[in-house]
Amino acid sequence: MKLSIVLSTQQAQFNAVAFKGDLAANVAKIAHWGYDGVELAIRDPKLIDLDQIDAIVKKHGLVMPAIGTGQAWGEEGLSFPDPDPQIRDAAIERVKSHIPVAAHFDAVIIIGLLRGIVKPGVSQAQALAWVTEALQECSAAAAPHGVRLALEPINRYETSLINSVADGLDLIERVGADNFGLLLDTFHMNIEDASIEGSIRAAGDRIFHFHVADSNRWYPGAGHIDFRSLLDALFATGYNGYVSGEFMPLPDADTAAQEAIRYLRGLKQEE
Ligand code: LER
Ligand code: MN
């Protein structure tokens, strides 16, 4: 099992990110604890030094399997279904600006909260149409570069658009692009989906990336999700990507990261 963990390149409001701040020091710690990869949350590619990040990640023998984009929503309010066309365009352009970074690292571009919410005065159908058109445009721009996009079904308390894996699979049908798939997150599936294993089987080879947190969004092993069962289901689909830790920094970020890898590697040993 290839394990990675979410890191932010900028300070952000979203707190289910185990690490923020000094990238070099954090990447060094992550590698030392035995992780294989680091998933970076990047608000705006214009604000990062790609060469510097590349050097830091490679120095420690890590890879970057995925790029999180949700801070553009959290910090700047960009989203695909905003009633303001300029904001919709800016959201699309922001996703497109991640394509060179994703191509460089062979990373998946995550569409999490950037898909937005249904704003007052906008119908659910209109919002879904804007999201679909935006994803068609972004997927078409990414395809020639061999880059894939992964939409993350997110629980109802964070968005009113695409909550369950079934919603995500419906969107895949609407978008109709081979390089558009899903990011499954155990925390969200535990809230929205009748069966986590059933959803994993249904998504099959459209699972492009995978987030793990326990039921309480602490590190895996701190709640009541059956990780042995769901990881068996995940790998039975032929999934060959990263299992990426995205959980609260509790009781503190270092302890959470170390407990997560101890627990997940322990599961594998018992297989
Ligand atoms: C991001 O990957 C995520 O899971 C969301 O809950 C962010 O709010
Ligand atoms: Mn997630």
Side-chain angles (χ1 to χ4, degrees):
M1 178 165 35
K2 295 182 289 190
L3 290 175
S4 57
I5 192 162
V6 174
L7 255 183
S8 176
T9 56
Q10 273 96 37
Q11 291 301 317
Q13 292 168 20
F14 174 42
N15 61 0
V17 170
F19 290 90
K20 295 175 185 170
D22 185 341
L23 188 69
N26 287 331
V27 169
K29 282 198 285 192
I30 285 165
H32 173 70
W33 291 326
Y35 284 91
D36 311 293
V38 58
E39 175 185 323
L40 289 184
I42 300 175
R43 174 159 75 79
D44 185 345
K46 282 207 294 291
L47 302 176
I48 61 159
D49 180 338
L50 181 63
D51 292 336
Q52 187 198 25
I53 290 180
D54 187 69
I56 291 170
V57 170
K58 292 206 173 117
K59 178 181 173 193
H60 297 285
L62 297 186
V63 302
M64 179 151 90
I67 300 169
T69 60
Q71 290 174 0
W73 158 259
E75 313 291 312
E76 297 174 63
L78 301 188
S79 79
F80 293 151
D82 197 282
D84 181 340
Q86 285 187 337
I87 294 181
R88 296 202 298 276
D89 285 348
I92 292 170
E93 291 311 311
R94 181 63 59 82
V95 171
K96 287 183 181 173
S97 77
H98 283 278
I99 293 171
V101 186
H104 179 90
F105 286 101
D106 194 18
V108 170
I109 298 175
I110 297 171
I111 309 294
L113 286 171
L114 203 57
R115 108 287 239 110
I117 59 173
V118 183
K119 291 228 169 144
V122 177
S123 70
Q124 184 86 18
Q126 176 64 81
L128 203 53
W130 278 329
V131 170
T132 303
E133 285 163 26
L135 288 168
Q136 285 169 334
E137 185 173 337
C138 293
S139 300
H145 303 272
V147 170
R148 299 185 302 164
L149 274 67
L151 188 287
E152 180 177 34
I154 288 180
N155 77 74
R156 70 191 69 184
Y157 306 109
E158 294 187 57
T159 178
S160 40
L161 273 169
I162 309 128
N163 304 124
S164 66
V165 172
D167 295 340
L169 291 171
D170 179 55
L171 188 67
I172 283 177
E173 289 293 315
R174 290 170 189 263
V175 172
D178 288 344
N179 63 331
F180 177 64
L182 298 179
L183 155 56
L184 268 47
D185 182 321
T186 58
F187 174 72
H188 300 305
M189 287 192 286
N190 184 57
I191 295 171
E192 295 294 343
D193 293 39
S195 159
I196 296 179
E197 290 82 355
S199 288
I200 289 170
R201 282 190 286 272
D205 63 6
R206 284 305 180 120
I207 304 173
F208 287 0
H209 194 52
F210 202 83
H211 278 166
V212 283
D214 218 317
S215 49
N216 44 11
R217 219 169 202 184
W218 280 52
Y219 55 83
H224 57 73
I225 288 181
D226 185 347
F227 282 95
R228 177 180 301 281
S229 168
L230 75 86
L231 288 173
D232 282 349
L234 177 66
F235 294 121
T237 67
Y239 182 74
N240 188 31
Y242 279 71
V243 171
S244 203
E246 183 193 50
F247 36 75
M248 308 289 282
L250 294 171
D252 59 80
D254 287 17
T255 303
Q258 289 172 90
E259 285 297 315
I261 196 163
R262 187 184 62 75
Y263 177 78
L264 292 169
R265 293 267 187 246
L267 284 181
K268 193 175 171 242
Q269 275 160 22
E270 288 172 40
E271 273 167 12

